[in-house]
Amino acid sequence: MKKTIAAIFLLFFLVGENFCATAQVNNFNPADLSITFEAVANDFNNGGQALLLFTLKNNGKKILPATGWKIYFNSKSALRVKDTAAKVKIERQKANLFCLLPIAGSEAITPGKGLAAEMLLDDNLINKSDCPEGFYLVWDDRPLKGYDIKNVSVKPIKLKAIDGRVQSDYAAVIYHRNLQINRAVNGPLSKVFPTPVNYAEGQGSFILTGEAGIETDEAFAKEAAYLSVEAGKLLGKKLSVAPGNSGKKIRLVKKEGFTDEGYNLEVSQEGITIAAGRSAGIFYGIQSLKTLLPAASWSKSAASVPVPFVEVNDAPRFGYRGFMMDVARDFQTKEEVKRILDLMSLLKLNTFHFHITDDEGWRLEINGLPELTSFGSQRGHSLDEANHLPSAYGSGADTGKLYGSGFYSRKDFIEILQYANDRHIQVIPEIETPGHARAAIKAMDFRYRKYMAIGNREEALKYFLRDTLDASEYTTPQAFHDNVINVALPSCYTFIGKIIEEVDILYKEAGLQVKTIHFGGDEVPSGTWERSPACNALIAADPALDNTNDLWYYYLGKVNKLLSDKGIALSGWEEIGLRKTVTDGQNVMIPNPGFTAHDLRLYVWNNIGGNEDLAYKLANAGYKIVLTPVTNFYLDMVSYKTYDEPGYFWGGITDISKTYGFIPFDLTKNLKEDHEGNPVKPGAFAHKQRLTDYGKTNVLGIQAALWAETIKGPQQLEYMLLPRLLALAERAWQKDPAWANEKDSSSMRKGYNDAWSSFVSITGNSLLPMLDRYNGGYNYRIPPAGAIVSDNAVLANTQFPGFEIRYTVNGGDPTFKSNLYRAPITDKGLVRLRVFNREGRAGYTTVIENK
């Protein structure tokens, strides 16, 4: 096998003579190139690497010269040529940017020919997000311009036999999971989502027409206007809003006795009444009214819409119900942000954590610092970073293109703030510091060069973020060596003060008050600042500082002071509440008692690798926390670990059931597997710290997070987001479920499975059909079919009811016109199964062999 591959593929299969690179540059079109990766084997030579066959083919009519070109690309893991006989090599440029280039003895590639080489990826190739991406060619004599190579394909490892038959690696696992779902759920299910505190449904419906008016208390005028517009989408005309509307109507009533977000919704023959003490409660009552309606109502306007008779009394469990969206790694447009805010409001989520800066991008226009966006929001081909950031995450050669480049103007951001506020959503901006700050650092370098060129040294240094003499060596998890702000420089705090001031102004111009700014604080690696003259001078001069570890607390103290002077609270990842210490000779992180008296909010993501109780330690120590555990609420993690499923899996394999099954006040109780997918042994967490009653008062709420390294546009964003965000919303709003408090494990499992089955039924029969139509439709993930072979027949099932399975035998991927699965399939051969929703959209294909 190895000799065959070496003989066939580790060579240039081309004809023709070498040509002068300069001559060919003017003739060859890089768009005529295609690149193919074929995954040959994982765990090659037991080394945890993937063996890939790389092919570069010339599909044009001109010759690609032997030399004079380079091909750049991004890769999550390092890639190298296995055999130098291939006459090409790969060099790492920076972080995840690599370069493939010809070496001595290379030959030109004539039309229709190409070169092939075996390569090793420094990790296994499990799914599509593991693949190299963003390929572009640069001519040596035109080093400033790149040309995207768009014809790139990856062939995954061929399906292997499992239990003696070829099949998708997830087929049987998914099938048996789906079998656990009780399809005959007992009792009526709530049509209101998330599940309300009390729900009673009567017989009959109120018929809502365009003639119905809205009568409102003056305090709810804004909500009445919103309801009028939403009803207009259903009925083809806005409903009139007036104090004395006669006839059957919708009434918005101010009534005391509710919590800030609580409400009562009553639908009867006389009309619809929503009562609350605050405008937020009225707004959430409107959202409940919307989920009551038939899904088909949102397809197109109609003369009337039936609204079931119900009475609902409701209020949320947590005051903080959040979603964090990263637009720094890959950008999303203002329009898509507003679509996500619409979705959040429907699900009664009230906090939008907006991650707008990171190493790979700065996405917010700041008055007085135009370089942050003119430089820091743009990615493209650049080796010296003279004018913009380099390509990352497959963003390609050109600046100004989605989704690597882009930013929100001040006007855009104000519009987003107001749009969110109208939907009772607080926007918390995140400005990553002092780590994850490469975009800001490089933008201020650009600013420095600009002002030094005109002789203005004072202005050049005003916002400078690094010590030019710093010889510290460090590497971040993203392979950066230069992404941490130097916290000893006074200009660091001038910069941060400027950002705080301008963000504060933006909120005020939106008519709002910024309550907190999230300043990140995570992943500052070991080695940072250790060989910085500026840091060492500060340590020597300040008796409160003993070493570079203390610079962390120095920095946080100064940032907290800048914020508190403006009445703004400091938020950050859990690291801002931790302190390094030594226990039994080991470096460990413990809650830092020095900051508990301050108004800090910690977002705790780390619940893996022994940190399962970290959130509880911090809450018990007195910190206000938001639970954001990676294993349950990081929506950039895969739903299943298979090739067709995008996302990462370093922190967990996060099927919707894991999000739904999370118990906020006892997070290990329902934990069935660790972040690597291994079963958890009984009693594995018995020694972990429990959440005290005092600690419970410090849990503000829960939040999902979607990091954007793998997110290339709104379709991918919505695929990763949904339907898992539905489970997050349920867990954030619904009162503490009875099953979570069962002491007997078998009773808890039964109670959980009944609740999970009800949630699956509501999701498949009501929520997803609504999301097919609501707001133009959302691209939620459709889970693949589960399948096994039993008694010489293929049995298949779906996770959600109301979805169809269609199949082919010894054919291609099923389409909406393929055979409908109604009974076990007895045909022999390779059976391909695909799940379709009611609109004809499908998930990826499950394959299983029936011998």
Side-chain angles (χ1 to χ4, degrees):
M1 170 80 177
K2 293 180 184 175
K3 290 182 179 179
T4 302
I5 292 176
I8 296 175
F9 296 119
L10 292 183
L11 52 82
F12 292 94
F13 51 98
L14 47 85
V15 295
E17 303 175 6
N18 291 340
F19 286 79
C20 168
T22 303
Q24 291 304 309
V25 164
N26 297 322
N27 294 322
F28 187 81
N29 183 1
D32 290 332
L33 290 173
S34 63
I35 290 173
T36 302
F37 281 97
E38 181 177 352
V40 178
N42 275 328
D43 204 23
F44 182 69
N45 285 345
N46 298 315
Q49 297 175 312
L51 176 64
L52 309 178
L53 175 63
F54 168 84
T55 304
L56 175 68
K57 185 177 180 182
N58 179 358
N59 302 296
K61 298 180 179 180
K62 303 291 183 180
I63 296 172
L64 177 69
T67 59
W69 53 267
K70 297 180 179 67
I71 293 176
Y72 294 87
F73 63 94
N74 301 118
S75 181
K76 185 180 79 170
S77 302
L79 187 67
R80 61 185 175 87
V81 178
K82 183 172 177 286
D83 195 328
T84 55
K87 303 304 180 184
V88 290
K89 66 178 181 178
I90 293 175
E91 296 177 346
R92 189 171 211 150
Q93 303 301 299
K94 57 189 69 179
N96 69 1
L97 180 64
F98 295 83
C99 173
L100 179 141
L101 65 161
I103 59 177
S106 63
E107 299 180 6
I109 305 178
T110 55
K113 302 298 180 179
L115 69 86
E118 283 185 328
M119 295 184 176
L120 287 175
L121 188 71
D122 279 352
D123 205 346
N124 288 323
L125 197 152
I126 303 297
N127 71 347
K128 57 179 64 178
S129 297
D130 290 334
C131 301
E133 59 183 347
F135 292 84
Y136 63 89
L137 182 143
V138 176
W139 300 111
D140 288 356
D141 69 345
R142 301 183 202 168
L144 300 181
K145 172 65 177 172
Y147 301 88
D148 288 331
I149 301 172
K150 298 181 179 180
N151 189 354
V152 179
S153 61
V154 179
K155 298 178 182 178
I157 291 175
K158 294 179 180 178
L159 290 178
K160 296 181 179 179
I162 302 174
D163 296 331
R165 69 181 74 252
V166 173
Q167 58 183 295
S168 298
D169 50 10
Y170 56 83
V173 175
I174 297 296
Y175 180 85
H176 290 295
R177 282 186 187 173
N178 291 344
L179 275 186
Q180 301 301 312
I181 299 169
N182 179 8
R183 304 296 179 180
V185 180
N186 293 323
L189 299 177
S190 169
K191 291 186 174 71
V192 168
F193 186 83
T195 302
V197 175
N198 292 301
Y199 175 88
E201 186 171 340
Q203 296 293 320
S205 299
F206 171 73
I207 306 302
L208 179 64
T209 71
E211 304 310 311
I214 300 173
E215 181 181 288
T216 181
D217 187 283
E218 185 179 346
F220 306 141
K222 183 182 290 187
E223 286 66 39
Y226 168 86
L227 174 57
S228 174
V229 172
E230 292 296 285
K233 297 174 184 176
L234 300 166
L235 302 168
K237 59 181 288 190
K238 295 181 182 179
L239 301 187
S240 65
V241 180
N245 269 318
S246 60
K248 296 181 178 181
K249 57 196 171 188
I250 303 175
R251 299 174 64 238
L252 307 183
V253 178
K254 186 173 177 63
K255 189 175 181 181
E256 296 308 316
F258 292 95
T259 63
D260 285 351
E261 297 179 301
Y263 68 93
N264 172 270
L265 167 65
E266 186 175 356
V267 182
S268 69
Q269 191 67 45
E270 302 306 313
I272 300 169
T273 301
I274 303 173
R278 301 289 183 272
S279 57
I282 292 292
F283 184 80
Y284 294 133
I286 294 170
Q287 305 313 309
S288 292
L289 175 61
K290 286 158 66 173
T291 61
L292 266 178
L293 305 177
S297 304
W298 299 98
S299 296
K300 58 183 179 180
S301 60
S304 63
V305 176
V307 186
F309 292 161
V310 295
E311 183 168 358
V312 178
N313 286 290
D314 202 9
R317 179 182 184 186
F318 290 112
Y320 186 109
R321 306 178 300 280
F323 169 58
M324 188 225 76
M325 187 164 86
D326 171 15
V327 295
R329 270 60 176 271
D330 280 307
F331 186 68
Q332 295 292 334
T333 65
K334 177 185 67 177
E335 290 70 28
E336 181 62 16
V337 172
K338 291 167 75 172
R339 274 176 55 81
I340 297 305
L341 292 170
D342 285 333
L343 176 65
M344 289 178 63
S345 67
L346 179 69
L347 302 180
K348 304 187 178 83
L349 301 178
N350 65 359
T351 308
F352 182 51
H353 176 172
F354 207 9
H355 187 88
I356 50 179
T357 78
D358 214 297
D359 294 319
E360 301 86 359
W362 183 287
R363 307 302 188 183
L364 177 61
E365 180 186 14
I366 297 294
N367 261 356
L369 292 176
E371 301 83 7
L372 286 171
T373 47
S374 66
F375 181 101
S377 76
Q378 300 298 307
R379 294 208 302 256
H381 173 62
S382 177
L383 299 182
D384 60 5
E385 298 182 79
N387 297 300
H388 54 78
L389 295 169
S391 174
Y393 303 119
S395 55
D398 297 326
T399 60
K401 289 172 54 179
L402 295 173
Y403 293 91
S405 299
F407 70 94
Y408 307 106
S409 68
R410 297 180 77 259
K411 181 180 178 182
D412 289 337
F413 191 70
I414 290 170
E415 185 178 335
I416 289 169
L417 292 177
Q418 293 173 332
Y419 195 85
N421 184 65
D422 288 345
R423 286 150 183 78
H424 293 271
I425 296 172
Q426 176 192 6
V427 179
I428 298 177
E430 181 176 357
I431 310 295
E432 273 278 20
T433 65
H436 284 284
R438 194 173 189 275
I441 292 169
K442 294 300 179 181
M444 293 303 95
D445 281 359
F446 176 77
R447 183 181 187 278
Y448 172 85
R449 293 192 297 271
K450 181 176 73 174
Y451 281 102
M452 287 299 289
I454 59 175
N456 191 342
R457 179 177 175 80
E458 180 181 357
E459 193 62 32
L461 292 171
K462 186 174 182 180
Y463 300 109
F464 202 54
L465 298 178
R466 63 184 179 90
D467 177 2
T468 57
L469 301 178
D470 189 354
S472 302
E473 295 182 0
Y474 61 85
T475 302
T476 72
Q478 296 78 24
F480 287 113
H481 314 291
D482 56 355
N483 77 333
V484 182
I485 292 171
N486 192 294
V487 299
L489 301 177
S491 53
C492 157
Y493 304 100
T494 305
F495 175 81
I496 290 172
K498 173 69 171 174
I499 300 302
I500 293 171
E501 178 184 6
E502 294 299 329
V503 169
D504 188 34
I505 290 171
L506 284 167
Y507 274 76
K508 287 176 179 174
E509 290 186 14
L512 303 169
Q513 179 183 356
V514 57
K515 297 177 181 178
T516 183
I517 299 177
H518 195 297
F519 268 94
D522 60 316
E523 293 187 336
V524 175
S526 299
T528 304
W529 306 319
E530 288 182 354
R531 295 167 64 186
S532 162
C535 289
N536 290 328
L538 177 61
I539 292 168
D542 190 335
L545 304 176
D546 293 328
N547 51 49
T548 51
N549 287 340
D550 292 338
L551 291 172
W552 176 242
Y553 320 119
Y554 171 87
Y555 168 77
L556 285 176
K558 290 184 75 69
V559 173
N560 191 43
K561 179 68 164 56
L562 288 169
L563 287 165
S564 60
D565 284 349
K566 286 186 169 290
I568 303 170
L570 171 61
S571 292
W573 299 106
E574 68 252 26
E575 285 94 330
I576 73 170
L578 296 173
R579 186 175 187 89
K580 292 181 181 179
T581 189
V582 177
T583 301
D584 298 328
Q586 300 293 319
N587 290 321
V588 295
M589 301 289 282
I590 63 170
N592 183 359
F595 286 118
T596 54
H598 298 275
D599 188 20
L600 271 60
R601 290 90 187 273
L602 309 186
Y603 291 65
V604 189
W605 67 266
N606 190 354
N607 68 323
I608 60 177
N611 292 301
E612 291 82 6
D613 58 351
L614 177 59
Y616 294 169
K617 287 179 179 178
L618 288 163
N620 291 342
Y623 283 105
K624 299 295 184 184
I625 69 165
V626 175
L627 294 168
T628 315
V630 60
T631 57
N632 303 80
F633 294 155
Y634 265 36
L635 305 186
D636 52 307
M637 297 295 114
V638 295
S639 290
Y640 197 86
K641 200 172 177 180
T642 192
Y643 179 79
D644 287 311
E645 201 67 67
Y648 289 164
F649 42 82
W650 60 265
I653 303 161
T654 310
D655 178 73
I656 185 174
S657 62
K658 281 192 180 177
T659 306
Y660 178 83
F662 179 72
I663 303 175
F665 289 167
D666 199 351
L667 55 84
T668 61
K669 185 176 182 179
N670 201 29
L671 198 61
K672 300 181 180 68
E673 60 184 36
D674 64 18
H675 69 286
E676 295 180 340
N678 302 310
V680 171
K681 296 179 181 178
F685 305 113
H687 63 291
K688 294 296 182 180
Q689 191 170 135
R690 305 278 296 170
L691 186 64
T692 64
D693 287 344
Y694 168 68
K696 290 177 183 178
T697 67
N698 289 320
V699 178
L700 301 176
I702 63 177
Q703 173 174 283
L706 182 52
W707 301 98
E709 292 95 331
T710 64
I711 307 300
K712 308 297 189 292
Q715 293 290 301
Q716 185 68 20
L717 170 70
E718 294 170 12
Y719 178 95
M720 301 301 284
L721 189 61
L722 292 165
R724 290 183 289 188
L725 195 67
L726 304 178
L728 178 280
E730 177 78 343
R731 199 51 57 235
W733 183 277
Q734 185 193 26
K735 66 181 181 180
D736 193 12
W739 59 264
N741 296 303
E742 289 281 359
K743 290 186 166 59
D744 177 68
S745 59
S746 61
S747 297
M748 191 202 81
R749 284 195 298 272
K750 182 184 183 306
Y752 165 75
N753 195 63
D754 288 347
W756 164 242
S757 299
S758 296
F759 173 78
V760 168
S761 178
I762 292 167
T763 300
N765 287 319
S766 301
L767 298 175
L768 295 182
M770 180 180 181
L771 291 177
D772 284 327
R773 303 165 173 87
Y774 183 75
N775 206 20
Y778 288 86
N779 187 52
Y780 58 81
R781 173 183 180 263
I782 299 175
I788 62 168
V789 173
S790 178
D791 294 331
N792 298 314
V794 173
L795 281 65
N797 58 19
T798 65
Q799 185 174 58
F800 295 118
F803 286 64
E804 298 180 337
I805 299 175
R806 294 186 177 271
Y807 70 94
T808 62
V809 181
N810 297 322
D813 288 340
T815 69
F816 198 56
K817 295 182 179 180
S818 298
N819 294 324
L820 178 63
Y821 175 83
R822 291 189 176 92
I825 302 166
T826 57
D827 297 353
K828 303 302 181 184
L830 278 183
V831 178
R832 290 178 167 83
L833 307 119
R834 208 170 173 201
V835 178
F836 289 80
N837 69 1
R838 295 163 179 80
E839 306 299 305
R841 188 168 64 84
Y844 54 85
T845 300
T846 299
V847 178
I848 189 165
E849 183 182 20
N850 190 22
K851 292 185 175 181

